[in-house]
Amino acid sequence: MARPDLSTASGSSRQGNLPDLQLREVTKRFGEVVALDAVTLDIERGEFVTLLGPSGCGKTTTLRIVAGFEAQTAGSVSIRGERVDGVPPYRRNVNTVFQSYALFPHLSVFDNVAFGLRVKALPAADIRRTVGQALEQVRLGGLDRRRPHELSGGQQQRVALARALVNEPAILLLDEPLGALDLKLRKEMQLELKRVHREVGITFIYVTHDQEEALTMSDRIAVMDAGRVVQLAPPREIYEDPRTTFVANFVGISNLLPGEIRERADRSTTIELDGGWRFGKTLRRPPGIGEKVLVAVRPEKVRVAPPGRGLQGRLEDFVYLGSRATLVVRLAGDRLLQVEDPTAQLGNGAGRIGQPIAVEWEETECLVFDAARGERVK
Ligand code: ATP
């Protein structure tokens, strides 16, 4: 697969400022395992960038290499324009917040946050002021005498965040920091982290495998697969304009339907899906007649077709969710297609389970991918 140049991806260039982080062809091998495969990316000052991908794709390894906990096998890392290869973690201008908080259990909240400043031997009055500000920033004012075990998980993570922020690093690395929290608290903390990021203006690099979390928080998302960054773009672009079937599938739900190119007329290309439905699609560079493609369509873009039209199937399941409904349609080849129906147009859909149903979508609402390589055809 051709490797896209990610160093100039959209939204990344701001004149006059060197990127806070530059990775150039960074490769990491653990014996036979290639954890990172020539990763190149630039992260601008003050950005919130999320590394998103399935377990084992290399997110944590990337973070550990930036932090200096791990040395890359090849390639270079620069922070604010300075090569840091071989520089130990404590001399890099970065701090890490871990999922496990890693607080000192015997120290109070205040002393946990003050720790780094005391190491730097700052005057006591400065330490008091800086720690106080940081605790206010993470909404922990008044809890400074407590010990970590007297705090909730969310509060402990706020302490870890304050402890990192007082050091004013160029880059804050966050490795699944909300992973241990329950869903409701996690959602609250996502918004809190976003607010703190806006207030402090420090570059945040955030690791998660949770796509919704990535969409909520990030200026840009780097989607990773098997040690590579396959797309680096703002959340909307990742969702609406995925470059590969992997990205389309990993971020949000995509129905991926096999089909074949049947006709190529001036601009309009006729695609026939398995199951026999033919539709026209405007493609600038259509594949040749007979080529296999995958058509991706989001559940919210599919609608129930009137009789005699669309892709035929049977209603497999109907889930009524009050303001909307989800339909599962079984298509030819036993393939399942999901429909998100915001108007609950089927009404009592449950009564129609097992009955024939047809679906369709606007040609502009679906994306076409080359079936062999999984790459987008435009
Ligand atoms: P997760 O979401 O599960 O944390 P990840 O995307 O962070 O996954 P990494 O932890 O970066 O993935 O791992 C990338 C690959 O490198 C995996 O195949 C992993 O097994 C391997 N790996 C990571 N650390 C080591 C190590 N110390 N020794 C050997 N292999 C390792």
Side-chain angles (χ1 to χ4, degrees):
M1 187 160 97
R3 199 166 293 163
D5 177 9
L6 298 159
S7 58
T8 55
S10 52
S12 70
S13 72
R14 240 179 269 162
Q15 299 235 316
N17 270 347
L18 275 172
D20 259 2
L21 178 68
Q22 292 171 293
L23 301 186
R24 289 290 172 272
E25 301 277 312
V26 172
T27 293
K28 177 66 183 176
R29 289 193 201 94
F30 294 103
E32 295 287 288
V33 177
V34 181
L36 289 184
D37 185 6
V39 170
T40 290
L41 66 95
D42 283 2
I43 295 180
E44 301 297 323
R45 193 163 292 191
E47 264 197 300
F48 193 131
V49 172
T50 298
L51 308 181
L52 173 71
S55 184
C57 71
K59 308 178 295 289
T60 297
T61 302
T62 307
L63 226 55
R64 289 175 59 80
I65 287 173
V66 174
F69 298 132
E70 205 80 70
Q72 67 270 30
T73 314
S76 69
V77 178
S78 303
I79 296 172
R80 297 223 166 137
E82 306 242 335
R83 291 275 291 263
V84 293
D85 312 320
V87 175
Y90 62 89
R91 292 196 39 221
R92 295 190 182 196
N93 198 1
V94 301
N95 268 102
T96 308
V97 176
F98 301 95
Q99 181 177 336
S100 59
Y101 320 136
L103 300 176
F104 300 113
H106 56 287
L107 295 184
S108 68
V109 166
F110 184 95
D111 290 336
N112 262 284
V113 178
F115 190 84
L117 303 176
R118 290 199 172 119
V119 169
K120 289 183 197 156
L122 292 188
D126 288 358
I127 293 178
R128 259 198 313 280
R129 196 187 63 247
T130 309
V131 172
Q133 275 170 359
L135 290 176
E136 287 300 326
Q137 213 144 37
V138 300
R139 307 267 199 264
L140 277 184
L143 297 185
D144 48 339
R145 286 165 176 273
R146 294 226 190 141
R147 298 277 170 88
H149 73 270
E150 295 167 320
L151 299 173
S152 71
Q155 288 169 332
Q156 289 184 53
Q157 195 52 290
R158 287 164 195 257
V159 178
L161 185 61
R163 186 180 56 181
L165 291 174
V166 291
N167 295 318
E168 298 183 342
I171 304 173
L172 189 64
L173 305 169
L174 302 109
D175 193 357
E176 302 241 12
L178 310 182
L181 307 178
D182 67 49
L183 188 64
K184 186 160 178 284
L185 190 55
R186 207 179 156 118
K187 291 200 177 256
E188 277 172 33
M189 284 295 288
Q190 287 170 8
L191 298 176
E192 281 280 291
L193 269 176
K194 212 171 150 174
R195 175 188 58 76
V196 170
H197 171 257
R198 260 197 316 271
E199 284 176 16
V200 298
I202 292 173
T203 303
F204 278 30
I205 306 179
Y206 191 95
V207 160
T208 184
H209 57 262
D210 180 336
Q211 40 113 354
E212 205 176 299
E213 188 159 288
L215 291 171
T216 305
M217 304 174 77
S218 324
D219 294 319
R220 288 192 298 160
I221 299 173
V223 182
M224 296 187 70
D225 178 27
R228 291 179 179 182
V229 176
V230 288
Q231 191 166 357
L232 173 64
R236 180 182 288 273
E237 196 174 320
I238 294 280
Y239 189 80
E240 292 184 358
D241 205 5
R243 196 176 272 163
T244 64
T245 49
F246 175 83
V247 177
N249 243 343
F250 194 77
V251 182
I253 298 168
S254 279
N255 295 298
L256 276 178
L257 307 169
E260 205 173 296
I261 304 293
R262 284 291 183 224
E263 280 170 40
R264 284 172 53 171
D266 188 28
R267 289 244 166 155
S268 181
T269 301
T270 305
I271 299 172
E272 181 173 329
L273 294 179
D274 285 10
W277 186 42
R278 287 184 175 212
F279 66 97
K281 169 88 183 154
T282 307
L283 294 173
R284 267 180 281 130
R285 291 201 192 86
I289 291 172
E291 296 276 337
K292 305 278 186 204
V293 293
L294 288 168
V295 174
V297 56
R298 300 279 184 196
E300 68 271 19
K301 306 293 189 193
V302 184
R303 58 173 188 252
V304 176
R309 260 188 17 205
L311 183 60
Q312 308 296 314
R314 273 180 196 284
L315 186 62
E316 173 91 4
D317 204 355
F318 176 88
V319 184
Y320 174 71
L321 296 160
S323 62
R324 63 198 164 89
T326 298
L327 283 60
V328 181
V329 177
R330 189 172 288 275
L331 302 171
D334 264 350
R335 203 167 293 281
L336 295 177
L337 173 122
Q338 202 162 311
V339 186
E340 196 72 47
D341 177 10
T343 57
Q345 59 185 324
L346 255 200
N348 180 21
R352 291 176 52 180
I353 288 177
Q355 304 275 315
I357 186 172
V359 291
E360 62 180 6
W361 50 84
E362 296 294 328
E363 68 136 313
T364 50
E365 303 286 21
C366 69
L367 307 175
V368 180
F369 296 85
D370 173 308
R373 286 175 295 138
E375 285 176 18
R376 183 76 177 282
V377 178
K378 288 197 179 182

